[in-house]
Amino acid sequence: IVNGQGEAKDADIGIAGGKDEVLLFKKGQSIRKIPAQIALSELKKEINNLLNNIDCDGRYQNNKFKL
C-alpha cells in the first residue's frame, strides 16, 4: 500500500488524493474517485478483496502477481 499517485501506479493497492477526494488504484490503474470521508472504508474493502484472492503460496489466484 502506498500513499501517492506515482507510487500507486506500481502497487497492488494504492490511494492518492487531497482534502475532499481520493483516487483509489488497483494493480497500477485508477479504479475510482471517492470522497475522502469514505476513503478508509473503501481502501479496507479493496485490501480484503485482494487478500481473499491470494492462494496459500502467496500468489494471486490469477497468477499474474506474487507477493
Side-chain angles (χ1 to χ4, degrees), residues 53 55 59-66:
N53 287 305
D55 67 17
R59 292 184 304 255
Y60 292 109
Q61 290 182 7
N62 64 12
N63 291 321
K64 286 186 173 181
F65 302 94
K66 183 171 174 101

Side-chain angles (χ1 to χ4, degrees), residues 1-48:
I1 299 173
V2 298
N3 65 354
Q5 188 172 2
E7 295 171 347
K9 293 193 181 264
D10 294 323
D12 295 328
I13 300 288
I15 194 167
K19 182 179 176 183
D20 297 322
E21 295 180 319
V22 301
L23 289 174
L24 193 58
F25 289 83
K26 186 174 183 180
K27 298 178 186 169
Q29 300 293 315
S30 174
I31 57 172
R32 67 182 176 273
K33 186 186 288 188
I34 54 176
Q37 297 88 344
I38 63 168
L40 182 58
S41 64
E42 293 299 308
L43 180 61
K44 286 179 181 179
K45 286 179 193 175
E46 290 298 330
I47 292 169
N48 285 331

